[in-house]
Amino acid sequence: MQAEFDHMKFQPERADGGNLITRVESGQIWVREISTQGPVLVPWAGPVVAWSAAAHPPWSAQDFEQALALGPELVIFGSGARLSFPAPMALHRLFEARVGVETMDTAAA
């Protein structure tokens, strides 16, 4: 039996100038042509925001409050060069607000 899909292509629902991560390299993330360094929040649109969280675990619930304030439907959390999961209690407020959370290493995110 042949699979229904041979491949999957991800595209944003809106093409209204949302932020696009174009490159990740050596601790830097490029959002469009602008390079950032250190923990950042990249909302769908608008300015990239310095994130007050530590670059490495443990992360706390307070670390994710800043992301929650942006009103996301989904948080794609890039945990650094290696995959590392936040404790469930750190994500509790996001879960309460019915915000989806996906954790990946930063390059995959």
Side-chain angles (χ1 to χ4, degrees):
M1 179 184 335
Q2 185 175 358
E4 187 175 330
F5 299 110
D6 291 332
H7 66 281
M8 183 179 294
K9 185 174 182 180
F10 289 94
Q11 295 180 349
E13 289 182 17
R14 304 180 327 210
D16 60 359
N19 286 326
L20 178 66
I21 296 175
T22 56
R23 191 164 124 197
V24 176
E25 180 181 302
S26 303
Q28 292 183 299
I29 298 173
W30 279 259
V31 179
R32 298 199 181 267
E33 300 84 32
I34 300 170
S35 172
T36 64
Q37 200 163 8
V40 292
L41 295 171
V42 182
W44 171 256
V48 174
V49 180
W51 190 30
S52 60
H56 302 285
W59 296 285
S60 70
Q62 291 83 1
D63 291 330
F64 290 94
E65 287 291 326
Q66 191 178 358
L68 185 59
L70 295 172
E73 293 179 20
L74 172 67
V75 170
I76 300 175
F77 174 62
S79 64
R82 294 175 44 153
L83 180 62
S84 183
F85 293 93
M89 286 307 295
L91 303 173
H92 181 73
R93 289 273 296 119
L94 291 170
F95 297 150
E96 278 184 339
R98 302 186 60 82
V99 173
V101 178
E102 180 66 44
T103 300
M104 305 175 192
D105 63 73
T106 299

